[in-house]
Amino acid sequence: MRLATAANEAYAASLAVSEVLGCNQCGGGRGRVEELGIRVPRPLGHGPSRFIPEKEILQVGSEDAQMHTLFADSFAALGRLDNITLVMVFHPQYLESFLKTQHYLLQMDGPLPLHYRHYIGIMAAARHRCSYLVNLHVNDFLHVGGDPKWLNGLENAPQKLQNLGELNKVLAHRPWLITKEHIEGLLKAEEHSWSLAELVHAVVLLTHYHSLASFTFGCGISPEIHCDGGHTFRPPSVSNYCICDITNGNHGVDEMQVNSAGNISTSDSFFEVEALMEKMKQLQECRDEEEASQEEMASRFEIEKRESMFVFSSDDDEVTPARDVSRHFEDTSYGYKDFSRHGMHVPTFRVQDYCWEDHGYSLVNRLYPDVGQLIDEKFHIAYNLTYNTMAMHKDVDTSMLRRAIWNYIHCMFGIRYDDYDYGEINQLLDRSFKVYIKTVVCTPEKVTKRMYDSFWRQFKHSEKVHVNLLLIEARMQAELLYALRAITRYMT
Amino acid sequence: MEKMSRVTTALSGSALTGRTMHCHLDAPANAISVCRDAAQVVVAGRSIFKIYAIEEEQFVEKLNLRVGRKPSLNLSCADVVWHQMDENLLATAATNGVVVTWNLGRPSRNKQDQLFTEHKRTVNKVCFHPTEAHVLLSGSQDGFMKCFDLRRKDSVSTFSGQSESVRDVQFSIRDYFTFASTFENGNVQLWDIRRPDRCERMFTAHNGPVFCCDWHPEDRGWLATGGRDKMVKVWDMTTHRAKEMHCVQTIASVARVKWRPECRHHLATCSMMVDHNIYVWDVRRPFVPAAMFEEHRDVTTGIAWRHPHDPSFLLSGSKDSTLCQHLFRDASQPVERANPEGLCYGLFGDLAFAAKESLVAAESGRKPYAGDRRHTIFFKRKLDPAEPFSGLASSALSVFETEPGSGSMSWFVDTAERYALAGRPLAELCDHNAKVARELGRNQVAQTWTMLRIIYCSPGLVPSANLNHSVGKGSSCGLPLMNSFNLKDMGPGLGSETRLDRSKGDARSDTALLDSSATLITNEDNEETEGSDVPADYLLGDVEGEEDELYPLDSEHVHPEEPEYVLPQEAFPLRHEIVDTPSGPEHLQDKADSPHVSGSEADAASLAPVDSSFSLLSVSHALYDSRLPPDFFSVLVRDMLRFYAEQGDVQMAVSVLIVLGERVRKDIDEQTQEHWYTSYIDLLQRFCLWNVSNEVVKLSTSRAVSCLNQASTTLHVNCSHCKRPMSSRGWVCDRCHRCASMCAVCHHVVKGLFVWCQGCSHGGHLQHIMKWLEGSSHCPAGCGHLCEYS
């Protein structure tokens, strides 16, 4: 066993380092270091997520064997244990698949050179102003030998990558506008042109990082300590009062706020869960008797699609990115725009005509072998993941709820399932939940802790993370479907 | 495509006639089905549902079943099937999960008969019982299969696949009660219609979804399945365990599979992505489709044989909104386009050659064809016994073995290993390589290197010792000195070709004694050579001998050819220029340094350096000194490289390319360079010269070549304890939870380079061991062994 722990030791050591830099400095050791004139960075946030109290999140060291292996793998692959991993480990089954896919995309055989991959990741994350991912990948990019000049902005990168900017933009915000002309433009740009395999690799990377940006904001991932915004050199306050007490403890101010808020709404939110369960039961039972007419079914989709446009939170506190990420993309004004509001009519995307399982998979696997399989597995795990629990209830069949969430997201992108009654969505997802979903998927940079707290108040944090997994996978699939359909159209 | 061939087949009274034809539909089709009488076909899709009559010349729209003002999702069909007993009965599967039956006998415009809304998700497939009039089966995305009796309002029984979506259901044609269903998770289940509680049998057929299946119309137990994993498999279901009989590998996921009537081993497939063609396969010949229909411009979504007893008509519907009738006779047959000859070189010059038997048989009587024009080798023919496809193609395999010794490639290996390609000044590299070549008896190559050095390096740097050395070597080879004199004797321009012919002829008759037909061939060669110019010679050399013959170790035969090529014709005009050039004292001085062509000349030059016209080389050298830039020779060098490459000595071409680097690179187009590099690397790898090949890859400037080092950089290692592959990490075994290699010095795991003593098998980090052995000669593990590190 001593032998097997080599990798683990290393990551434990890295944690020890962060501990030293964290709270231990309050102890005796601190003085010595500071006397030497070394500026000791301290973490700004508390725990891997700003939304989830640290004590809710699994403490490293207390994980079981499976998670332990996952952590070790993750550390071996990336050389770090990032906050995303620490939050995702709520669902180890998914995390495993996620890490495997990400590792393959970034480090294994593929048509794109390594620094291109990270740069594309940066481009994609920058689209959503996700400084967390941008910072991580800037480091990786430099590490694999990328040219630091490229980081000054997309216009300093090779023409080939600049060409990808347009696709990145459309894919991130309005994927339904992707046409085969976009694809053609990339593939036929003479010496700057992309090959089909490269393009598929790039598209998978783009969609992966768009949705990962959603996750980062949706779960309020804190910056890593070594990145901008993750640490401060401000010495701890001089009074006896130590910041670490508050930030690490989580039993201070935060907790009180939660409690006070919780107290008021406990009864409220208790009914929330009950009501939701009741509705699910009803839907299950009365599905057979109440038969909606065809027109109604069609209009329900349209209504849902339209309504999804209007769910937008009113609070507009802009999160200013710590690092100037905007220089990695152009046209900052281009954002999510609802398709129906814009004059042009975009036909509804029918899943029965182009779906991931039949079409998308085959195309990806043909052009970028093995990745189709990995992504397919990831989609499946995310879609089928369940513990049969809802808040405090056990043995609940949540498939209906999960399907409603999944289809709601696809609905926002104009993707329609013929065999789904979109009325169910209205029954199962309440407004605050829809606001959260919509924000995370379409404009993740606007997610606030209030939104996170205000939906599904009785549910556990792990369940909220679960929702986030559904959101990001559904989003990734939606983007992939549009991009791959365009590629297919180009090829035929 | 527009072959208007017409076929008439007599079938149990009725005759089918028709031609290859197509008609445009208004919308993409999802499925088609044929009426029992083979005269009508129904096409269904998201926004189309029509019946067409198949007439002799064209399709005629007979009926539009899509009636009503508002489009309903019930009419958005994923599948359609026409009852094989009742001409009026149709069933469709809708994308919203509804199963609809249609009765064409209804008097009203709306033919819709019954509506079953029991499935919660899209229904992927509907299927009528082959003999029972009222039994309909459906398979849906929700994982259930339902059996309907059309006389009742709801389903008779529900079968749960206990899995995700059902992709296909098919009643067995022979077994009254049996049906097969295929699933998205790769399983195939066999059910008894009377027992809805559990399936009779289940097995995993494919990796990933199984999109389709089809029972063999005659063979009771045969089931063909097609899946996303691009395979069609034929299963024998009569045995206790389903046995895989045949497997056909296609190029895209298989969306539909249909057995061809009356042809026991044929089946038709189409794909749902990327590939638009319809293939008909002979399952016994799984690599080449027997026939291919290429009419569609988008993926084919539905295929059906027109008549259950007629193998020549195939109908198909496609996403490109066309309905096609294909005639088997008009199909393109990839087999015919395939190259029936195969040729492959073995590592030691053996040659295997496969060709159609007819071709091989015919050859003995008449003129030999290209493949047999070889000398220095024996023929050994092994006829493949009992080809299974005697009707389709029968081929003969011949293996030509080289005579032991004659095809030795040791010079290649030696050269590859000893050449220096980088890391030193150009002059040294050239000298070194020239020396290597000379020691291996390859004087032409050696001279080329020396000349390159002269062209590209300033002559003042030539160390005289080296010079003498090279001169001595050159003359001690004992080669006929006549070479260089010959050249002078002949008229310029004319010389090279005639000389070449003669020398070739000589070489031929010497080496080809073993071959009875040798003399005949030699004559033929000569004729050809004389009639054509130099490139043709190269071609000839390529076809005939390649390396084996042109570079045997005994250099006598080859050498006579050399000077002509070293002194290409472009050089001759120079001579006249030189004559006019006033020669100063430094000129003479230089000439003394220059004689590299042959020993005799060198001697002459140093003794009496007056006659400036007798040696081309010295002349050109002098020219260089009077400020002719090296660029001047680039054309020459380029031609020289081409010559070597075309002679089969790609080694020389690549080596020179690398050594000269920027100096010549721009003159040779990227593609050619890449071609040379890849051929040379391939050769090196065949000789297991991994280090050299890697060095070449590293030194190459071609992007495509240097990429080679970046692909599949994974190194697979096995655990030293349990001997199993270590899958996740290279240094710790998942099975025995041990680290594979520990450093004997620092007792940590070695994750990079591991060096160990072959005596005691202890080892560790390269750096650590090196350091340790500097201070101690004993093994760091303490085993007492006296390790050596070199």
Side-chain angles (χ1 to χ4, degrees):
Chain A
M1 209 48 223
R2 190 179 65 89
L3 310 173
T5 50
N8 306 328
E9 271 167 22
Y11 92 77
S14 82
L15 288 162
V17 167
S18 73
E19 263 166 36
V20 166
L21 301 177
C23 204
N24 287 1
Q25 61 184 305
C26 307
R30 187 189 76 216
R32 238 185 22 231
V33 180
E34 291 191 345
E35 275 161 22
L36 294 172
I38 299 166
R39 298 205 304 158
V40 180
R42 295 177 306 111
L44 266 182
H46 31 93
S49 163
R50 284 177 288 122
F51 296 171
I52 309 168
E54 195 177 6
K55 62 173 180 177
E56 293 276 336
I57 292 173
L58 181 91
Q59 295 297 309
V60 174
S62 63
E63 69 270 13
D64 62 15
Q66 185 198 1
M67 295 177 186
H68 191 83
T69 334
L70 274 176
F71 281 168
D73 279 342
S74 160
F75 187 83
L78 294 167
R80 60 168 179 259
L81 199 56
D82 53 19
N83 289 339
I84 289 184
T85 312
L86 288 172
V87 172
M88 269 192 194
V89 86
F90 272 121
H91 306 282
Q93 195 193 356
Y94 173 83
L95 177 63
E96 188 181 0
S97 165
F98 173 84
L99 289 175
K100 213 162 86 186
T101 312
Q102 183 165 278
H103 182 230
Y104 194 93
L105 285 178
L106 290 178
Q107 278 155 323
M108 303 295 276
D109 286 356
L112 288 175
L114 291 181
H115 61 288
Y116 266 55
R117 305 183 192 186
H118 288 292
Y119 196 79
I120 292 172
I122 295 171
M123 282 169 71
R127 226 26 263 182
H128 285 307
R129 292 162 217 191
C130 180
S131 51
Y132 173 82
L133 289 173
V134 169
N135 284 330
L136 274 189
H137 284 281
V138 163
N139 289 344
D140 288 345
F141 172 75
L142 296 174
H143 186 69
V144 296
D147 183 350
K149 265 190 241 129
W150 297 8
L151 296 174
N152 294 332
L154 192 56
E155 67 277 2
N156 297 313
Q159 185 64 38
K160 190 167 164 177
L161 283 169
Q162 290 184 33
N163 291 347
L164 197 65
E166 174 73 11
L167 184 71
N168 180 23
K169 188 174 77 180
V170 182
L171 203 54
H173 303 298
R174 300 169 207 173
W176 51 89
L177 294 182
I178 293 178
T179 56
K180 74 174 184 190
E181 280 72 31
H182 286 113
I183 306 298
E184 197 166 352
L186 287 171
L187 295 175
K188 294 204 174 140
E190 284 162 19
E191 80 259 48
H192 305 299
S193 63
W194 292 74
S195 74
L196 263 176
E198 286 173 333
L199 184 64
V200 168
H201 192 169
V203 162
V204 174
L205 278 170
L206 287 175
T207 54
H208 179 82
Y209 279 100
H210 289 154
S211 49
L212 200 55
S214 284
F215 183 83
T216 310
F217 285 111
C219 293
I221 301 293
S222 320
E224 302 286 337
I225 184 169
H226 63 275
C227 292
D228 282 357
H231 55 84
T232 175
F233 290 112
R234 203 162 51 90
S237 61
V238 276
S239 67
N240 294 332
Y241 174 76
C242 180
I243 292 175
C244 303
D245 287 341
I246 313 166
T247 49
N248 271 358
N250 283 312
H251 37 64
V253 193
D254 269 359
E255 189 79 352
M256 262 146 55
Q257 277 174 348
V258 169
N259 274 347
S260 63
N263 281 336
I264 307 161
S265 58
T266 309
S267 50
D268 243 15
S269 53
F270 180 73
F271 289 128
E272 223 174 47
V273 182
E274 294 296 304
L276 185 55
M277 305 246 319
E278 190 56 38
K279 272 180 195 156
M280 281 169 64
K281 220 159 121 194
Q282 267 176 18
L283 279 173
Q284 203 97 48
E285 282 161 2
C286 67
R287 163 134 51 188
D288 303 327
E289 37 188 275
E290 177 240 349
E291 191 51 53
S293 73
Q294 289 310 312
E295 300 78 58
E296 203 181 327
M297 296 284 265
S299 67
R300 275 180 191 168
F301 173 76
E302 292 303 325
I303 290 169
E304 206 54 54
K305 197 161 89 176
R306 203 159 41 234
E307 267 187 3
S308 73
M309 307 309 148
F310 302 113
V311 269
F312 247 128
S313 69
S314 44
D315 18 71
D316 242 18
D317 20 22
E318 187 81 18
V319 190
T320 36
R323 189 194 194 99
D324 184 22
V325 294
S326 62
R327 63 181 180 215
H328 292 300
F329 60 95
E330 328 149 291
D331 196 1
T332 39
S333 59
Y334 194 94
Y336 176 82
K337 280 279 163 51
D338 313 318
F339 36 80
S340 52
R341 275 198 213 157
H342 274 280
M344 68 178 110
H345 173 73
V346 179
T348 303
F349 187 111
R350 307 260 186 177
V351 157
Q352 268 74 10
D353 290 347
Y354 197 99
C355 66
W356 165 256
E357 283 80 14
D358 295 0
H359 306 91
Y361 171 91
S362 302
L363 186 64
V364 171
N365 235 18
R366 185 186 182 87
L367 295 170
Y368 186 12
D370 299 336
V371 164
Q373 192 63 39
L374 289 170
I375 304 179
D376 194 41
E377 265 171 41
K378 190 155 69 89
F379 285 150
H380 263 112
I381 291 173
Y383 190 83
N384 294 324
L385 188 71
T386 182
Y387 307 97
N388 292 318
T389 57
M390 264 176 80
M392 49 290 204
H393 300 275
K394 287 203 166 65
D395 296 325
V396 193
D397 178 12
T398 57
S399 59
M400 185 182 276
L401 191 57
R402 283 181 283 125
R403 192 168 168 217
I405 297 171
W406 186 278
N407 287 359
Y408 180 65
I409 296 155
H410 278 188
C411 172
M412 285 190 299
F413 286 103
I415 298 174
R416 179 175 179 192
Y417 292 79
D418 280 347
D419 51 359
Y420 188 68
D421 174 7
Y422 285 84
E424 277 183 32
I425 289 178
N426 249 351
Q427 307 259 332
L428 296 176
L429 313 184
D430 58 21
R431 195 181 149 74
S432 59
F433 189 31
K434 280 187 183 171
V435 168
Y436 179 75
I437 293 180
K438 170 93 177 176
T439 318
V440 169
V441 170
C442 300
T443 49
E445 60 273 18
K446 293 195 178 132
V447 177
T448 60
K449 183 153 165 50
R450 206 165 79 210
M451 283 186 213
Y452 178 85
D453 287 333
S454 64
F455 84 95
W456 279 14
R457 272 164 294 186
Q458 279 299 302
F459 283 78
K460 297 188 205 102
H461 286 295
S462 74
E463 287 169 316
K464 292 193 173 184
V465 173
H466 184 174
V467 166
N468 266 292
L469 298 183
L470 272 177
L471 299 190
I472 63 169
E473 289 304 325
R475 174 178 186 195
M476 182 171 175
Q477 193 177 81
E479 285 185 14
L480 267 181
L481 280 177
Y482 276 111
L484 294 175
R485 186 177 67 165
I487 294 176
T488 310
R489 284 188 175 163
Y490 168 77
M491 288 167 75
T492 51
Chain B
M1 210 187 311
E2 293 302 315
K3 276 183 266 171
M4 298 287 179
S5 62
R6 209 159 295 187
V7 165
T8 312
T9 21
L11 286 161
S12 57
S14 71
L16 278 186
T17 58
R19 61 181 186 91
T20 295
M21 59 187 179
H22 65 90
C23 88
H24 187 76
L25 310 170
D26 309 322
N30 276 348
I32 62 169
S33 184
V34 193
C35 179
R36 183 177 58 155
D37 62 9
Q40 296 176 80
V41 59
V42 59
V43 184
R46 173 170 289 284
S47 48
I48 182 174
F49 189 24
K50 283 179 180 174
I51 291 177
Y52 285 86
I54 312 166
E55 294 185 356
E56 207 165 297
E57 295 289 332
Q58 63 195 351
F59 291 103
V60 177
E61 183 179 328
K62 260 191 87 184
L63 189 60
N64 189 356
L65 290 159
R66 221 179 140 81
V67 290
R69 275 162 286 118
K70 281 163 290 188
S72 155
L73 271 187
N74 290 349
L75 290 170
S76 159
C77 303
D79 192 31
V80 64
V81 63
W82 204 319
H83 203 296
Q84 290 306 301
M85 306 288 295
D86 184 346
E87 285 170 22
N88 283 331
L89 200 52
L90 288 159
T92 55
T95 49
N96 63 349
V98 180
V99 175
V100 194
T101 61
W102 308 79
N103 186 351
L104 301 181
R106 278 168 74 116
S108 69
R109 244 184 95 230
N110 189 354
K111 310 285 185 194
Q112 188 170 323
D113 196 20
Q114 265 180 298
L115 214 60
F116 301 101
T117 52
E118 292 183 32
H119 284 296
K120 294 194 190 85
R121 306 281 306 268
T122 301
V123 178
N124 285 322
K125 200 79 187 178
V126 282
C127 175
F128 278 114
H129 196 279
T131 49
E132 202 59 48
H134 301 287
V135 179
L136 175 68
L137 190 66
S138 67
S140 154
Q141 197 79 14
D142 58 14
F144 293 103
M145 295 143 277
K146 284 175 189 289
C147 182
F148 303 98
D149 187 325
L150 301 186
R151 292 161 295 195
R152 289 170 54 171
K153 282 224 172 318
D154 43 13
S155 63
V156 184
S157 43
T158 302
F159 310 86
S160 167
Q162 304 290 350
S163 121
E164 312 158 61
S165 4
V166 185
R167 297 309 298 244
D168 198 357
V169 283
Q170 290 292 335
F171 273 112
S172 165
I173 290 164
R174 296 300 163 105
D175 281 326
Y176 186 87
F177 295 112
T178 309
F179 72 87
S181 55
T182 69
F183 291 85
E184 202 142 86
N185 58 7
N187 286 346
V188 171
Q189 295 182 351
L190 231 56
W191 291 82
D192 187 314
I193 199 104
R194 296 160 299 185
R195 294 197 54 187
D197 52 330
R198 60 179 190 84
C199 64
E200 298 281 292
R201 189 193 284 183
M202 179 166 95
F203 61 95
T204 303
H206 289 267
N207 179 15
V210 190
F211 287 138
C212 53
C213 66
D214 195 31
W215 289 95
H216 198 285
E218 296 151 41
D219 246 308
R220 188 188 181 85
W222 280 20
L223 179 72
T225 58
R228 193 172 71 180
D229 58 359
K230 307 181 193 171
M231 296 215 252
V232 181
K233 291 180 180 177
V234 178
W235 305 87
D236 184 359
M237 309 293 277
T238 49
T239 48
H240 179 62
R241 286 187 54 148
K243 201 173 83 188
E244 189 185 319
M245 308 278 294
H246 300 283
C247 178
V248 176
Q249 182 87 46
T250 66
I251 57 165
S253 59
V254 182
R256 309 263 186 222
V257 56
K258 286 271 179 272
W259 287 102
R260 187 174 174 208
E262 311 282 302
C263 294
R264 211 180 119 93
H265 289 108
H266 282 202
L267 47 78
T269 66
C270 66
S271 162
M272 66 169 57
M273 267 307 276
V274 194
D275 187 16
H276 312 154
N277 300 340
I278 305 166
Y279 301 100
V280 178
W281 301 86
D282 185 315
V283 289
R284 294 164 302 176
R285 191 173 199 189
F287 305 108
V288 194
M292 186 161 90
F293 300 102
E294 300 164 300
E295 276 83 358
H296 288 298
R297 300 272 75 89
D298 202 339
V299 283
T300 311
T301 46
I303 48 176
W305 294 97
R306 189 169 157 192
H307 192 277
H309 293 291
D310 185 339
S312 49
F313 292 92
L314 180 70
L315 299 166
S316 68
S318 157
K319 277 246 155 81
D320 64 2
S321 309
T322 51
L323 174 68
C324 269
Q325 173 170 272
H326 311 277
L327 223 60
F328 204 76
R329 177 189 287 182
D330 295 344
S332 67
Q333 299 192 334
V335 179
E336 282 175 4
R337 267 186 272 155
N339 185 2
E341 282 94 33
L343 184 75
C344 188
Y345 252 120
L347 175 56
F348 299 105
D350 297 351
L351 182 88
F353 177 65
K356 262 189 188 163
E357 198 164 3
S358 52
L359 218 58
V360 179
E363 151 254 325
S364 57
R366 34 183 297 270
K367 266 181 106 178
Y369 56 100
D372 273 4
R373 278 190 174 180
R374 9 196 70 254
H375 328 288
T376 74
I377 44 177
F378 294 119
F379 292 7
K380 192 167 124 192
R381 179 165 306 155
K382 293 178 198 150
L383 281 180
D384 247 15
E387 261 275 325
F389 303 102
S390 49
L392 294 167
S394 69
S395 52
L397 176 72
S398 320
V399 177
F400 306 101
E401 284 172 345
T402 42
E403 185 189 1
S406 76
S408 163
M409 292 283 281
S410 60
W411 61 269
F412 178 87
V413 179
D414 280 349
T415 315
E417 278 172 344
R418 293 171 56 189
Y419 265 0
L421 299 178
R424 284 191 259 169
L426 179 64
E428 277 181 46
L429 290 178
C430 289
D431 282 341
H432 174 89
N433 293 345
K435 195 169 149 242
V436 169
R438 207 171 296 114
E439 279 166 19
L440 289 169
R442 304 175 67 216
N443 290 297
Q444 182 196 2
V445 173
Q447 279 169 351
T448 312
W449 280 113
T450 319
M451 289 174 66
L452 284 171
R453 179 175 173 285
I454 294 168
I455 294 175
Y456 288 100
C457 303
S458 73
L461 294 174
V462 182
S464 55
N466 196 356
L467 235 186
N468 289 338
H469 176 74
S470 80
V471 167
K473 273 278 172 189
S475 48
S476 69
C477 271
L479 291 167
L481 294 179
M482 50 170 272
N483 287 343
S484 45
F485 294 123
N486 258 338
L487 216 156
K488 269 193 288 182
D489 295 341
M490 275 179 273
L494 224 170
S496 69
E497 281 195 73
T498 41
R499 268 292 302 157
L500 172 70
D501 293 341
R502 232 180 69 208
S503 64
K504 267 203 167 180
D506 291 346
R508 235 3 85 48
S509 49
D510 280 348
T511 49
L513 281 176
L514 295 159
D515 196 320
S516 56
S517 64
T519 43
L520 184 143
I521 288 164
T522 314
N523 291 338
E524 207 176 275
D525 285 348
N526 282 344
E527 279 160 30
E528 275 176 44
T529 317
E530 270 155 24
S532 56
D533 47 9
V534 183
D537 283 339
Y538 298 165
L539 202 91
L540 206 78
D542 236 35
V543 171
E544 288 176 9
E546 303 210 352
E547 319 64 29
D548 306 339
E549 198 194 346
L550 286 169
Y551 291 101
L553 265 188
D554 45 345
S555 52
E556 275 188 346
H557 297 135
V558 175
H559 200 258
E561 296 178 27
E562 288 173 4
E564 289 85 3
Y565 287 105
V566 180
L567 310 172
Q569 294 174 4
E570 288 92 324
F572 283 91
L574 290 181
R575 188 184 287 182
H576 304 296
E577 274 179 44
I578 302 306
V579 177
D580 300 336
T581 315
S583 51
E586 44 159 29
H587 194 121
L588 300 180
Q589 182 58 45
D590 283 330
K591 260 187 219 156
D593 288 350
S594 64
H596 296 281
V597 171
S598 73
S600 62
E601 276 174 8
D603 292 341
S606 48
L607 290 173
V610 194
D611 185 1
S612 64
S613 73
F614 85 99
S615 155
L616 170 71
L617 259 192
S618 53
V619 165
S620 60
H621 187 192
L623 241 194
Y624 169 69
D625 271 349
S626 42
R627 287 184 312 283
L628 247 189
D631 277 354
F632 183 82
F633 298 99
S634 57
V635 180
L636 224 74
V637 174
R638 185 194 66 203
D639 289 344
M640 183 269 291
L641 290 184
R642 289 239 168 87
F643 162 71
Y644 276 113
E646 278 161 25
Q647 286 284 301
D649 187 5
V650 78
Q651 179 176 50
M652 184 64 185
V654 173
S655 304
V656 172
L657 200 59
I658 292 177
V659 168
L660 292 183
E662 285 303 331
R663 297 177 186 88
V664 283
R665 198 173 299 133
K666 56 188 181 302
D667 296 317
I668 300 162
D669 64 301
E670 278 281 314
Q671 241 179 341
T672 318
Q673 287 190 36
E674 199 183 311
H675 184 65
W676 290 350
Y677 273 120
T678 45
S679 334
Y680 186 40
I681 290 165
D682 184 50
L683 268 173
L684 287 171
Q685 292 182 345
R686 275 162 185 261
F687 282 100
C688 300
L689 295 166
W690 311 113
N691 288 337
V692 185
S693 108
N694 217 33
E695 197 191 343
V696 171
V697 172
K698 237 169 84 187
L699 290 171
S700 83
T701 44
S702 159
R703 229 182 103 221
V705 175
S706 39
C707 274
L708 288 175
N709 260 355
Q710 285 160 23
S712 23
T713 46
T714 323
L715 211 65
H716 297 279
V717 282
N718 284 7
C719 172
S720 55
H721 299 287
C722 62
K723 306 280 184 285
R724 308 256 193 84
M726 296 197 280
S727 48
S728 58
R729 284 171 300 264
W731 61 90
V732 52
C733 177
D734 286 335
R735 287 195 185 73
C736 46
H737 296 290
R738 286 213 267 187
C739 289
S741 36
M742 304 287 288
C743 175
V745 180
C746 68
H747 297 284
H748 280 293
V749 190
V750 184
K751 291 173 189 169
L753 279 180
F754 183 83
V755 62
W756 73 94
C757 167
Q758 291 178 333
C760 64
S761 78
H762 290 114
H765 291 105
L766 183 62
Q767 301 292 331
H768 293 169
I769 297 288
M770 270 164 74
K771 218 166 155 193
W772 176 272
L773 289 175
E774 275 170 22
S776 161
S777 56
H778 286 275
C779 175
C783 67
H785 186 260
L786 287 168
C787 300
E788 270 178 44
Y789 178 82
S790 52

